[in-house]
């Protein structure tokens, strides 16, 4: 009987997983959420997220909403001295990512609330995605019931699929090599003339401008192909 009950449980779990993972079959349009995270170091075990910013962009390439919030460093965390030294050369940037900081237990639910209020299915976009996903996954699991990436694991998925790495999208859309896709080497007009300022909101807007350029280029190439 125990084996039979375990079999039923496993089947139910697998059925639930099969239903939950089919985000690509959802007919709702996608909303690209261009993310920027500023931290005081590179180690998720010791350092902290200090600012999160995001720009929501429609599938057609139109920005329509944005979000930004600063986070206080949790007790017991330590800022990386090399990172702080870099910010000493950009004091206005440090001020922009630390002013009016909220506790992570408040800031992360606010971020989740904003994402969930977006229309359609939100897709995370990052530069690079691997770094952003590491930090956001850590903070989401600590301060919410949502996760950045779930696979077969527990937690409610905040974004559809595994997310979009923007440099990779540039490579595929513009036909560039890995070396050519480095953001500061790209034509300035692709970024709407923006440059990196180390301020979360402004850098998110720069990445969003590049995404919009690539979405339009993709559509032009598709139209030319037909």
């Amino acid at each position: 009987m125990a084996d039979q009950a375990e079999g039923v449980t496993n089947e139910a779990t697998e059925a639930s997983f099969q239903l939950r993972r089919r985000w690509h079959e959802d007919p709702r349009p996608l909303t690209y959420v261009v993310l920027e995270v500023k931290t005081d170091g590179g180690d998720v075990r010791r350092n902290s997220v200090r600012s999160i910013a995001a720009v929501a962009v429609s599938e057609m390439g139109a920005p329509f909403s944005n979000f930004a919030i600063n986070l206080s460093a949790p007790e017991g965390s330590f800022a990386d001295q090399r990172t702080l030294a870099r910010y000493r050369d950009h004091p206005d940037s440090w001020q922009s990512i630390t002013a009016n900081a909220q506790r992570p237990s408040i800031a992360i639910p606010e971020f989740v609330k904003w994402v969930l209020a977006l229309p359609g299915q939100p897709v995370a976009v990052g530069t690079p995605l691997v770094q952003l996903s590491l930090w956001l996954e850590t903070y989401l699991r600590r301060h919410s019931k949502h996760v950045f990436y779930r696979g077969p694991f527990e937690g409610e998925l905040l974004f559809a699929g595994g997310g979009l790495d923007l440099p990779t999208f540039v490579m595929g859309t513009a036909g560039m090599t890995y070396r050519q896709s480095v953001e500061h080497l790209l034509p300035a007009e692709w970024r709407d003339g923006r440059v990196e300022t180390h301020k979360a909101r402004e850098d998110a807007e720069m990445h969003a401008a590049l995404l919009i350029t690539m979405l339009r280029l993709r559509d032009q190439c598709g139209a030319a192909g037909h």
Side-chain angles (χ1 to χ4, degrees), residues 127-130 165-186:
T127 305
L129 181 65
V130 63
D165 180 71
L166 187 52
T168 305
F169 188 44
V170 172
M171 287 177 61
T173 305
M176 290 183 158
T177 66
Y178 185 63
R179 289 188 175 92
Q180 292 171 331
S181 66
V182 177
E183 194 165 44
H184 73 270
L185 299 179
L186 300 176

Side-chain angles (χ1 to χ4, degrees), residues 84-196:
L84 293 182
R86 184 188 67 177
Y87 273 111
R88 278 195 286 273
D89 295 331
H90 304 276
D92 57 331
S93 298
W94 179 254
Q95 173 66 18
S96 75
I97 68 170
T98 56
N100 303 314
Q102 303 292 318
R103 295 193 307 274
S105 59
I106 295 176
I108 294 301
E110 284 295 312
F111 171 65
V112 170
K113 180 180 177 181
W114 177 78
V115 173
L116 293 178
L118 295 172
Q121 296 189 90
V123 176
V125 180
T127 305
L129 181 65
V130 63
Q131 180 186 30
L132 291 166
S133 62
L134 178 63
W135 283 102
L136 288 177
E137 176 77 353
T138 300
Y139 270 67
L140 285 170
R141 286 186 178 273
R142 286 177 182 171
H143 303 292
S144 77
K145 62 182 180 181
H146 288 81
V147 295
F148 190 95
Y149 177 77
R150 183 180 59 213
F153 315 116
E154 76 285 351
E156 294 187 18
L157 191 61
L158 184 59
F159 298 102
L164 178 64
D165 180 71
L166 187 52
T168 305
F169 188 44
V170 172
M171 287 177 61
T173 305
M176 290 183 158
T177 66
Y178 185 63
R179 289 188 175 92
Q180 292 171 331
S181 66
V182 177
E183 194 165 44
H184 73 270
L185 299 179
L186 300 176
E189 60 268 23
W190 287 10
R191 305 186 305 273
D192 197 23
R194 298 174 182 270
V195 296
E196 186 177 24

